[in-house]
Structure formats: structure tokens, C-alpha cells
Amino acid sequence: MPMTEVTELDFLDRFINDKGSDLLNLGIKVLVTLVLFWAGQRLIKWIRKIIRNSMERANVDKGVAQFADSLLKYGMYVILAVFLASSLGVESTSIAALFASAGMAVSLAMQGSLSNLAGGILILVLKPFVVGDYIIEDTNGNEGTVKEIQIFYTKLATIDNKTIVIPNGTLSNNSLTNVTAAEYRQLDLRVGISYEADLKKAKEVLMDIIEKDHYIVKEKDYNVFVDELADSSVVMGVRAWVKTEEFMAAKWAILEKIKLTLDENGIEIPYNQLQVHLDK
């Protein structure tokens, strides 16, 4: 046998004799840590489920419940990481020093995330919107129904079922419109009629549509008026109140009724046109 192979075998034999027990202990620790990690995940899910059910029974605001669940999840995983590090033999003082130095670095690197965390807390305390509201974020024009309020971001669902994720810092530091905050919403429609049309008859037709439509809240004021004398038409205004959740359905239905009814009564809805006069 060559001298090189003998030397390598001797080295391997000495290494196993000297370090074998240490490697075995390390392997056992790693195995135990993996088992503890699996058990810890199961325990965290169980605790979160119990707390979610408790908040549901207590009728806690859905946004607050989602925020608390998200915060609890991250907090318990941090505790689990510290526990696993201790089980591997890392001293608690070393862990504390590591967290202190890491916390400084992370706080500098995650200033935006900390701003989003603060924004989420402000949203839950001040309640500019809650889960289920339809909001418009005025800065970028994002809009949709609020589905989740998490630690760092809020999820919106659009009408066509897309998901928009907006940082909480953006929502708390910029203006937004809460479309569904009130029980009722004003329906404000505009329709143009020909200058040759009977104005009084047009007003009567539009008023009759409003008075008979089931979407209109009759207890609140409603009105039909001349809004503008435009270049090609007399612009009629229709203003009334509907329930917020029925706003779009009411708008579509009433606009269709206006078009059909004006056609039935011979009242023209003109389009933009230009009259040219030629001198002889």
C-alpha cells in the first residue's frame, strides 16, 4: 500500500477516535433541534388558532384580529428561534449580544418596515377604514375592498378580483377616500338633451324615473335640475341617495332607464356636432 494512503487512513482513524463522540453529540443535537422546530411550528399554529377563535367569539374587529394574529406569529417564531439556539448550546449572553447587534443593524436596514408597522398600528387605532370597506388610495389611485390588515401591509381586492398590496406607511401618511364609510351614498348623474327638446317634459320624465325606482331612498332629498347649457346639449342633472352597497347597481339600472324612457318620449340625447354656415 502506498505511503500516502496509509497516512490518510491513519489521519482518518485518529480523527474518528478524537472527534467521533463530538460529532455524534452534534448530530443528536441537530436531530433534537429539528424535532423541536417541527413541534414548535405545530404549537404556534395551535396557539394562533385558539386566539383567533377567541377573538371571533368576542366579536373583535376583523382588522385588529388579523393584525394581532400576524404580530403573534412573528413574535412566537422569534421566541422559538431563541429556544432552538439555546438547545444547540449557544449561551444566552451570546444570544442577547447577537440580538442587540442584529437589532441595531435591522432597525437601520428596515426603517421603511418599521414605518409600515407604525402605520398599521395607527390604522387600527384611528380606523380610517376597516376590513370590508372600499377605499381609494389617492396618491397612486389604487382602489379596492379591504381584505386584510397585516403588520406591514394591507391587502385590497379589486372588482376584477386582483389583489393589491399597499404598505401601511403609505396608507397612514397619505390621503385616501373611504367610499363605503357611510350607510348612504349620493347618486349624481348627468344626461344631455337636445336644445329642441321640451325641457319641462324632460324634467317630468326624469323625476318620474327617480320617484318610481326602488333603489332610491325616498326619505332623503332628490332633485332633477338643469346643470349646464353646453355647446351641443342642455345638460340635466339627477341627484338622489341610494344605499352604499347598491350604488353601482343603482347607477347602471337608472342610466339604462333614462335612455330607454327618453327614447320612448321622443327626447333626443344629442352627440357633439358642428354646424358650418357658408356665405353665398
Side-chain angles (χ1 to χ4, degrees), residues 45-62:
K45 290 180 180 179
W46 179 70
I47 293 174
R48 289 174 61 199
K49 183 178 180 180
I50 291 176
I51 293 178
R52 282 198 302 266
N53 292 337
S54 299
M55 288 190 289
E56 286 179 4
R57 288 194 296 270
N59 292 323
V60 176
D61 179 78
K62 194 171 181 180

Side-chain angles (χ1 to χ4, degrees), residues 143-173:
E143 61 180 278
T145 302
V146 180
K147 291 299 182 184
E148 294 183 31
I149 303 174
Q150 298 286 348
I151 292 181
F152 300 114
Y153 56 83
T154 294
K155 288 184 178 181
L156 306 183
T158 63
I159 295 176
D160 54 350
N161 206 29
K162 296 177 183 177
T163 298
I164 301 176
V165 180
I166 304 178
N168 288 334
T170 301
L171 292 175
S172 63
N173 293 325

